[in-house]
Amino acid sequence: MLCLFDLDGTLIDSEPGITACIRHALAKLDVPVPADLRPWIGPPLRHSFAPLLGDDAVRVETAVDYYHERFAVLGWREHAVYPGVAAAIERLQAAGHRLAVVTSKPVRHAAPILESLSFGKAFEKLYGPDPSSAHCEKATMIAAALADFGTAPDAAAMIGDRCYDIEGAVANGVAGIGVLWGFGSREELQQAGAQALASDPAHLADLLTA
């Protein structure tokens, strides 16, 4: 099976780096920081910045630039691997599954993170969105992965913690498996059409090797 993994909230807890970079960007623009930044983890940055910046396209782009400015130097290091993830990846690889990452992060930010992980080499490919895009491109990236690997939809699964991962899976006829240790809720994942929910990484490996 082709197992496509989201990065933030699925393989790594990236909240510290992401929220610090959001605060950095908003401080640069002298804009108050929302009390809860967890909902920002998953959607495209432009989508989240726009309402705070009056949908001013120029200010939104400036905020995104400030975010990336800090992330490139510090933010990408500010994360932790979820307990049990490394063992789950090892199990999937040993079972003969092929693995790739499909993330909303630009490749230039996701690549060094993946390379820093002890199990990073298990992933054959990394898919990220066009850096200039304001849209979630999970469906497009999943389609690209299916084509690259020559895999039929019924022989693939998209694993992630937010509705965007599951919606991308549904759009491609791929099994969407939600993980409950990330930033999305059980309700969000179920409403998006998740075929299964994993309570922890060992449970996820069980689901994918059954």
Side-chain angles (χ1 to χ4, degrees):
M1 175 179 283
L2 174 61
C3 300
L4 305 174
F5 278 83
D6 174 45
L7 181 60
D8 300 313
T10 302
L11 297 175
I12 60 170
D13 178 358
S14 50
E15 183 173 1
I18 291 173
T19 56
C21 293
I22 294 166
R23 290 190 182 94
H24 169 78
L26 293 176
K28 285 273 203 175
L29 292 169
D30 198 26
V31 174
V33 178
D36 183 13
L37 292 177
R38 281 176 67 87
W40 287 57
I41 304 171
L45 279 173
R46 290 172 180 84
H47 173 81
S48 300
F49 276 127
L52 287 183
L53 301 173
D55 292 309
D56 182 324
V58 173
R59 295 190 81 207
V60 169
E61 288 307 311
T62 302
V64 170
D65 288 343
Y66 283 141
Y67 176 98
H68 289 315
E69 171 185 87
R70 187 186 184 281
F71 198 92
V73 179
L74 296 171
W76 75 272
R77 303 173 187 270
E78 298 168 330
H79 66 264
V81 177
Y82 287 107
V85 163
I89 296 302
E90 187 176 329
R91 275 183 63 189
L92 295 174
Q93 193 174 29
H97 296 313
R98 301 186 74 181
L99 311 178
V101 167
V102 176
T103 176
S104 292
K105 264 188 171 43
V107 169
R108 67 186 171 107
H109 290 329
I113 294 174
L114 205 55
E115 288 165 10
S116 75
L117 302 178
S118 63
F119 52 86
K121 289 192 181 348
F123 297 95
E124 297 178 46
K125 281 185 170 289
L126 166 63
Y127 297 88
D130 181 327
S132 65
S133 176
H135 305 290
C136 181
E137 297 184 24
K138 286 286 170 93
T140 303
M141 292 186 284
I142 292 170
L146 293 175
D148 288 347
F149 283 88
T151 301
D154 62 1
M158 177 70 210
I159 301 105
D161 67 313
R162 297 298 309 272
C163 59
Y164 312 100
D165 304 303
I166 305 304
E167 289 166 356
V170 170
N172 285 280
V174 165
I177 300 179
V179 304
L180 297 176
W181 57 83
F183 302 109
S185 67
R186 177 185 295 271
E187 292 72 26
E188 173 184 335
L189 294 165
Q190 288 175 330
Q191 287 174 7
Q195 290 189 14
L197 297 175
S199 56
D200 56 51
H203 183 208
L204 175 64
D206 290 342
L207 290 171
L208 292 169
T209 56

